[in-house]
CSV table of all heavy atoms in Angstrom, one decimal:
chain,number,residue,atom,x,y,z
A,30,VAL,N,0.8,-1.2,0.0
A,30,VAL,CA,0.0,0.0,0.0
A,30,VAL,C,0.9,1.3,0.0
A,30,VAL,O,0.6,2.2,-0.7
A,30,VAL,CB,-1.0,0.0,1.2
A,30,VAL,CG1,-1.7,1.3,1.3
A,30,VAL,CG2,-2.0,-1.1,1.1
A,31,ILE,N,1.9,1.3,0.8
A,31,ILE,CA,2.8,2.4,0.9
A,31,ILE,C,3.4,2.7,-0.5
A,31,ILE,O,3.5,3.9,-0.9
A,31,ILE,CB,3.9,2.2,2.0
A,31,ILE,CG1,3.3,2.3,3.4
A,31,ILE,CG2,5.0,3.3,1.8
A,31,ILE,CD1,4.2,1.9,4.5
A,32,ARG,N,3.8,1.7,-1.2
A,32,ARG,CA,4.4,1.9,-2.5
A,32,ARG,C,3.4,2.6,-3.5
A,32,ARG,O,3.8,3.3,-4.4
A,32,ARG,CB,4.8,0.6,-3.2
A,32,ARG,CG,6.2,0.2,-2.7
A,32,ARG,CD,6.7,-1.0,-3.6
A,32,ARG,NE,5.8,-2.1,-3.6
A,32,ARG,CZ,5.7,-3.1,-2.7
A,32,ARG,NH1,6.5,-3.1,-1.7
A,32,ARG,NH2,4.9,-4.1,-2.8
A,33,GLU,N,2.1,2.4,-3.2
A,33,GLU,CA,1.1,3.0,-4.1
A,33,GLU,C,0.7,4.4,-3.7
A,33,GLU,O,-0.1,5.1,-4.4
A,33,GLU,CB,-0.2,2.1,-4.1
A,33,GLU,CG,0.1,0.7,-4.7
A,33,GLU,CD,0.5,0.8,-6.2
A,33,GLU,OE1,-0.2,1.6,-6.9
A,33,GLU,OE2,1.4,0.1,-6.6
A,34,LEU,N,1.1,4.9,-2.5
A,34,LEU,CA,0.7,6.2,-2.1
A,34,LEU,C,1.5,7.3,-2.7
A,34,LEU,O,2.7,7.0,-3.0
A,34,LEU,CB,0.9,6.3,-0.6
A,34,LEU,CG,0.0,5.4,0.3
A,34,LEU,CD1,0.4,5.5,1.8
A,34,LEU,CD2,-1.5,5.7,0.1
A,35,SER,N,0.9,8.4,-2.9
A,35,SER,CA,1.7,9.6,-3.5
A,35,SER,C,2.7,10.0,-2.4
A,35,SER,O,2.5,9.8,-1.2
A,35,SER,CB,0.8,10.7,-3.8
A,35,SER,OG,0.2,11.3,-2.7
A,36,ASP,N,3.8,10.7,-2.9
A,36,ASP,CA,4.8,11.2,-2.0
A,36,ASP,C,4.2,12.1,-0.9
A,36,ASP,O,4.6,12.1,0.2
A,36,ASP,CB,5.9,11.9,-2.7
A,36,ASP,CG,6.8,10.9,-3.5
A,36,ASP,OD1,6.7,9.7,-3.2
A,36,ASP,OD2,7.5,11.4,-4.4
A,37,ASP,N,3.2,12.9,-1.4
A,37,ASP,CA,2.6,13.9,-0.5
A,37,ASP,C,1.8,13.2,0.7
A,37,ASP,O,1.9,13.6,1.8
A,37,ASP,CB,1.6,14.8,-1.3
A,37,ASP,CG,1.1,15.9,-0.4
A,37,ASP,OD1,1.9,16.6,0.3
A,37,ASP,OD2,-0.2,16.1,-0.4
A,38,VAL,N,1.1,12.2,0.3
A,38,VAL,CA,0.3,11.4,1.3
A,38,VAL,C,1.3,10.7,2.2
A,38,VAL,O,1.1,10.7,3.5
A,38,VAL,CB,-0.7,10.4,0.6
A,38,VAL,CG1,-1.3,9.5,1.6
A,38,VAL,CG2,-1.8,11.2,-0.1
A,39,ARG,N,2.3,10.1,1.7
A,39,ARG,CA,3.3,9.4,2.6
A,39,ARG,C,3.9,10.4,3.6
A,39,ARG,O,4.1,10.1,4.7
A,39,ARG,CB,4.4,8.8,1.7
A,39,ARG,CG,3.9,7.5,0.9
A,39,ARG,CD,4.9,7.0,0.0
A,39,ARG,NE,6.1,6.6,0.7
A,39,ARG,CZ,7.1,5.9,0.1
A,39,ARG,NH1,7.1,5.7,-1.2
A,39,ARG,NH2,8.2,5.5,0.8
A,40,ARG,N,4.3,11.6,3.1
A,40,ARG,CA,4.9,12.6,4.0
A,40,ARG,C,3.9,13.0,5.1
A,40,ARG,O,4.3,13.1,6.2
A,40,ARG,CB,5.4,13.8,3.1
A,40,ARG,CG,6.1,14.8,3.9
A,40,ARG,CD,6.7,16.0,3.1
A,40,ARG,NE,6.1,16.5,1.9
A,40,ARG,CZ,4.8,17.0,1.8
A,40,ARG,NH1,4.1,17.1,2.6
A,40,ARG,NH2,4.4,17.5,0.7
A,41,LYS,N,2.7,13.2,4.7
A,41,LYS,CA,1.7,13.7,5.7
A,41,LYS,C,1.4,12.6,6.7
A,41,LYS,O,1.4,12.8,7.9
A,41,LYS,CB,0.4,14.1,5.0
A,41,LYS,CG,0.5,15.4,4.3
A,41,LYS,CD,-0.8,15.7,3.6
A,41,LYS,CE,-0.7,17.0,2.8
A,41,LYS,NZ,-1.8,17.3,2.0
A,42,LEU,N,1.3,11.3,6.3
A,42,LEU,CA,1.1,10.2,7.2
A,42,LEU,C,2.3,10.0,8.1
A,42,LEU,O,2.2,9.8,9.3
A,42,LEU,CB,0.8,8.9,6.5
A,42,LEU,CG,-0.6,8.8,5.9
A,42,LEU,CD1,-0.7,7.6,5.0
A,42,LEU,CD2,-1.7,8.8,6.9
A,43,ALA,N,3.5,10.2,7.6
A,43,ALA,CA,4.7,10.1,8.4
A,43,ALA,C,4.8,11.1,9.5
A,43,ALA,O,5.2,10.9,10.6
A,43,ALA,CB,6.0,10.1,7.5
A,44,HIS,N,4.4,12.4,9.1
A,44,HIS,CA,4.4,13.5,10.0
A,44,HIS,C,3.4,13.2,11.2
A,44,HIS,O,3.7,13.4,12.4
A,44,HIS,CB,4.0,14.8,9.3
A,44,HIS,CG,4.0,16.0,10.2
A,44,HIS,ND1,5.1,16.5,10.7
A,44,HIS,CD2,3.0,16.7,10.7
A,44,HIS,CE1,4.8,17.5,11.5
A,44,HIS,NE2,3.5,17.7,11.5
A,45,ILE,N,2.2,12.7,10.8
A,45,ILE,CA,1.2,12.4,11.8
A,45,ILE,C,1.7,11.2,12.7
A,45,ILE,O,1.5,11.3,14.0
A,45,ILE,CB,-0.1,12.0,11.2
A,45,ILE,CG1,-0.7,13.2,10.5
A,45,ILE,CG2,-1.1,11.4,12.2
A,45,ILE,CD1,-1.9,12.9,9.5
A,46,ALA,N,2.4,10.2,12.1
A,46,ALA,CA,2.9,9.1,12.9
A,46,ALA,C,4.0,9.6,13.9
A,46,ALA,O,4.0,9.2,15.1
A,46,ALA,CB,3.5,8.0,12.0
A,47,SER,N,4.8,10.5,13.5
A,47,SER,CA,5.9,11.0,14.4
A,47,SER,C,5.3,11.8,15.5
A,47,SER,O,5.7,11.7,16.7
A,47,SER,CB,6.9,11.8,13.6
A,47,SER,OG,6.4,13.0,13.1
A,48,LEU,N,4.2,12.6,15.2
A,48,LEU,CA,3.6,13.4,16.3
A,48,LEU,C,2.9,12.4,17.3
A,48,LEU,O,2.9,12.6,18.5
A,48,LEU,CB,2.5,14.3,15.7
A,48,LEU,CG,3.1,15.5,14.9
A,48,LEU,CD1,1.9,16.3,14.3
A,48,LEU,CD2,3.9,16.4,15.8
A,49,GLY,N,2.3,11.3,16.7
A,49,GLY,CA,1.7,10.3,17.6
A,49,GLY,C,2.7,9.6,18.5
A,49,GLY,O,2.4,9.3,19.7
A,50,ALA,N,3.8,9.3,17.9
A,50,ALA,CA,4.9,8.6,18.7
A,50,ALA,C,5.4,9.5,19.8
A,50,ALA,O,5.6,9.1,21.0
A,50,ALA,CB,6.1,8.3,17.8
A,51,GLU,N,5.5,10.8,19.6
A,51,GLU,CA,5.9,11.8,20.6
A,51,GLU,C,4.8,11.8,21.7
A,51,GLU,O,5.2,11.8,22.9
A,51,GLU,CB,6.1,13.2,20.0
A,51,GLU,CG,6.4,14.2,21.0
A,51,GLU,CD,6.5,15.6,20.4
A,51,GLU,OE1,6.1,15.8,19.3
A,51,GLU,OE2,6.9,16.5,21.2
A,52,ARG,N,3.6,11.9,21.4
A,52,ARG,CA,2.5,11.9,22.3
A,52,ARG,C,2.5,10.6,23.2
A,52,ARG,O,2.3,10.7,24.4
A,52,ARG,CB,1.2,12.1,21.7
A,52,ARG,CG,0.0,12.2,22.6
A,52,ARG,CD,-1.3,12.4,21.9
A,52,ARG,NE,-2.4,12.5,22.8
A,52,ARG,CZ,-3.0,11.6,23.5
A,52,ARG,NH1,-2.6,10.3,23.4
A,52,ARG,NH2,-4.0,11.8,24.3
A,53,GLU,N,2.6,9.5,22.5
A,53,GLU,CA,2.6,8.2,23.2
A,53,GLU,C,3.7,8.1,24.2
A,53,GLU,O,3.6,7.6,25.3
A,53,GLU,CB,2.6,7.0,22.2
A,53,GLU,CG,1.3,6.9,21.5
A,53,GLU,CD,0.1,6.6,22.3
A,53,GLU,OE1,0.1,5.6,23.1
A,53,GLU,OE2,-0.9,7.3,22.3
A,54,THR,N,4.9,8.6,23.8
A,54,THR,CA,6.1,8.5,24.7
A,54,THR,C,5.9,9.4,25.9
A,54,THR,O,6.2,9.0,27.0
A,54,THR,CB,7.3,9.0,23.9
A,54,THR,OG1,7.5,8.1,22.8
A,54,THR,CG2,8.6,8.9,24.8
A,55,ARG,N,5.3,10.6,25.7
A,55,ARG,CA,5.0,11.5,26.8
A,55,ARG,C,4.0,10.8,27.8
A,55,ARG,O,4.2,10.9,29.0
A,55,ARG,CB,4.5,12.8,26.3
A,55,ARG,CG,4.3,13.9,27.3
A,55,ARG,CD,3.9,15.3,26.7
A,55,ARG,NE,2.7,15.2,25.9
A,55,ARG,CZ,2.6,15.3,24.6
A,55,ARG,NH1,3.8,15.4,23.9
A,55,ARG,NH2,1.5,15.3,23.9
A,56,LYS,N,2.9,10.2,27.2
A,56,LYS,CA,1.9,9.6,28.0
A,56,LYS,C,2.6,8.4,28.8
A,56,LYS,O,2.2,8.1,29.9
A,56,LYS,CB,0.8,9.1,27.2
A,56,LYS,CG,0.0,10.2,26.6
A,56,LYS,CD,-0.6,11.2,27.6
A,56,LYS,CE,-2.0,10.9,28.0
A,56,LYS,NZ,-2.5,11.8,29.0
A,57,ALA,N,3.5,7.7,28.1
A,57,ALA,CA,4.1,6.5,28.8
A,57,ALA,C,4.9,7.0,30.0
A,57,ALA,O,4.9,6.4,31.1
A,57,ALA,CB,5.1,5.8,27.8
A,58,ALA,N,5.6,8.2,29.9
A,58,ALA,CA,6.3,8.7,31.0
A,58,ALA,C,5.4,9.1,32.2
A,58,ALA,O,5.7,8.8,33.4
A,58,ALA,CB,7.1,9.9,30.6
A,59,GLU,N,4.2,9.6,31.8
A,59,GLU,CA,3.2,9.9,32.9
A,59,GLU,C,2.7,8.7,33.6
A,59,GLU,O,2.6,8.6,34.8
A,59,GLU,CB,2.0,10.7,32.3
A,59,GLU,CG,2.3,12.1,31.8
A,59,GLU,CD,1.2,12.7,31.0
A,59,GLU,OE1,0.1,12.1,31.0
A,59,GLU,OE2,1.4,13.7,30.3
A,60,HIS,N,2.4,7.6,32.8
A,60,HIS,CA,2.0,6.4,33.4
A,60,HIS,C,3.1,5.8,34.3
A,60,HIS,O,2.8,5.2,35.4
A,60,HIS,CB,1.6,5.4,32.3
A,60,HIS,CG,0.3,5.7,31.7
A,60,HIS,ND1,-0.9,5.8,32.4
A,60,HIS,CD2,-0.1,5.9,30.4
A,60,HIS,CE1,-1.9,6.0,31.6
A,60,HIS,NE2,-1.4,6.1,30.3
A,61,PHE,N,4.3,5.8,33.8
A,61,PHE,CA,5.4,5.2,34.5
A,61,PHE,C,5.6,6.0,35.9
A,61,PHE,O,5.8,5.4,36.9
A,61,PHE,CB,6.7,5.3,33.7
A,61,PHE,CG,7.8,4.5,34.3
A,61,PHE,CD1,7.9,3.1,34.1
A,61,PHE,CD2,8.9,5.1,35.0
A,61,PHE,CE1,8.9,2.4,34.6
A,61,PHE,CE2,9.9,4.4,35.6
A,61,PHE,CZ,9.9,3.0,35.4
A,62,ASP,N,5.6,7.3,35.8
A,62,ASP,CA,5.7,8.1,37.0
A,62,ASP,C,4.6,7.8,38.0
A,62,ASP,O,4.8,7.9,39.2
A,62,ASP,CB,5.7,9.6,36.7
A,62,ASP,CG,7.0,10.1,36.0
A,62,ASP,OD1,8.0,9.3,36.1
A,62,ASP,OD2,7.0,11.2,35.5
A,63,ALA,N,3.4,7.4,37.5
A,63,ALA,CA,2.3,7.1,38.4
A,63,ALA,C,2.3,5.6,38.8
A,63,ALA,O,1.4,5.2,39.5
A,63,ALA,CB,1.0,7.4,37.6
A,64,GLY,N,3.4,4.9,38.5
A,64,GLY,CA,3.5,3.5,38.9
A,64,GLY,C,2.7,2.6,38.1
A,64,GLY,O,2.6,1.4,38.4
A,65,GLN,N,2.2,3.0,36.9
A,65,GLN,CA,1.4,2.1,36.1
A,65,GLN,C,2.3,1.6,34.9
A,65,GLN,O,2.2,2.0,33.8
A,65,GLN,CB,0.2,2.9,35.5
A,65,GLN,CG,-0.7,3.5,36.5
A,65,GLN,CD,-1.7,4.5,36.0
A,65,GLN,OE1,-1.4,5.2,35.0
A,65,GLN,NE2,-2.8,4.6,36.7
A,66,ARG,N,3.1,0.7,35.3
A,66,ARG,CA,4.2,0.2,34.3
A,66,ARG,C,3.6,-0.6,33.1
A,66,ARG,O,4.1,-0.5,32.1
A,66,ARG,CB,5.2,-0.7,35.1
A,66,ARG,CG,6.0,0.1,36.0
A,66,ARG,CD,7.0,-0.7,36.8
A,66,ARG,NE,7.7,0.2,37.7
A,66,ARG,CZ,9.0,0.1,37.9
A,66,ARG,NH1,9.7,-0.8,37.3
A,66,ARG,NH2,9.6,0.9,38.7
A,67,VAL,N,2.5,-1.3,33.3
A,67,VAL,CA,1.9,-2.0,32.2
A,67,VAL,C,1.4,-1.0,31.2
A,67,VAL,O,1.6,-1.1,30.0
A,67,VAL,CB,0.8,-3.0,32.7
A,67,VAL,CG1,0.0,-3.6,31.5
A,67,VAL,CG2,1.4,-4.1,33.5
A,68,TRP,N,0.7,0.0,31.7
A,68,TRP,CA,0.1,1.0,30.8
A,68,TRP,C,1.3,1.8,30.1
A,68,TRP,O,1.2,2.1,28.9
A,68,TRP,CB,-0.7,2.0,31.6
A,68,TRP,CG,-2.1,1.5,31.9
A,68,TRP,CD1,-2.5,1.0,33.0
A,68,TRP,CD2,-3.2,1.5,31.0
A,68,TRP,NE1,-3.8,0.6,32.9
A,68,TRP,CE2,-4.3,0.9,31.7
A,68,TRP,CE3,-3.4,1.8,29.6
A,68,TRP,CZ2,-5.5,0.7,31.1
A,68,TRP,CZ3,-4.6,1.6,29.0
A,68,TRP,CH2,-5.7,1.0,29.8
A,69,ALA,N,2.4,2.0,30.9
A,69,ALA,CA,3.5,2.7,30.3
A,69,ALA,C,4.1,1.8,29.2
A,69,ALA,O,4.5,2.3,28.1
A,69,ALA,CB,4.6,3.0,31.3
A,70,GLY,N,4.2,0.6,29.4
A,70,GLY,CA,4.8,-0.4,28.4
A,70,GLY,C,3.9,-0.4,27.1
A,70,GLY,O,4.4,-0.4,26.0
A,71,ASN,N,2.6,-0.4,27.3
A,71,ASN,CA,1.7,-0.4,26.2
A,71,ASN,C,1.9,0.9,25.4
A,71,ASN,O,1.9,0.8,24.1
A,71,ASN,CB,0.2,-0.5,26.6
A,71,ASN,CG,-0.1,-1.9,27.2
A,71,ASN,OD1,0.6,-2.9,27.0
A,71,ASN,ND2,-1.1,-2.0,28.0
């Protein structure tokens, strides 16, 4: 599917994915600080 996407769509999806990864990492730190290690791992 990725091979079939336009460069513009690939770039936009990659940008959204990187923003999502940043948010998930921040939330993981919050869960870890709260002692919720399973949630942090997820």
Side-chain angles (χ1 to χ4, degrees):
V30 171
I31 289 172
R32 275 193 304 278
E33 295 295 318
L34 297 174
S35 70
D36 289 342
D37 187 51
V38 170
R39 287 173 65 172
R40 186 176 31 59
K41 287 177 182 177
L42 287 171
H44 180 72
I45 293 167
S47 67
L48 292 174
E51 178 185 8
R52 180 180 185 282
E53 290 298 306
T54 302
R55 187 174 57 252
K56 296 303 265 180
E59 291 172 12
H60 286 301
F61 192 80
D62 288 345
Q65 301 167 333
R66 293 180 181 221
V67 172
W68 283 100
N71 291 340

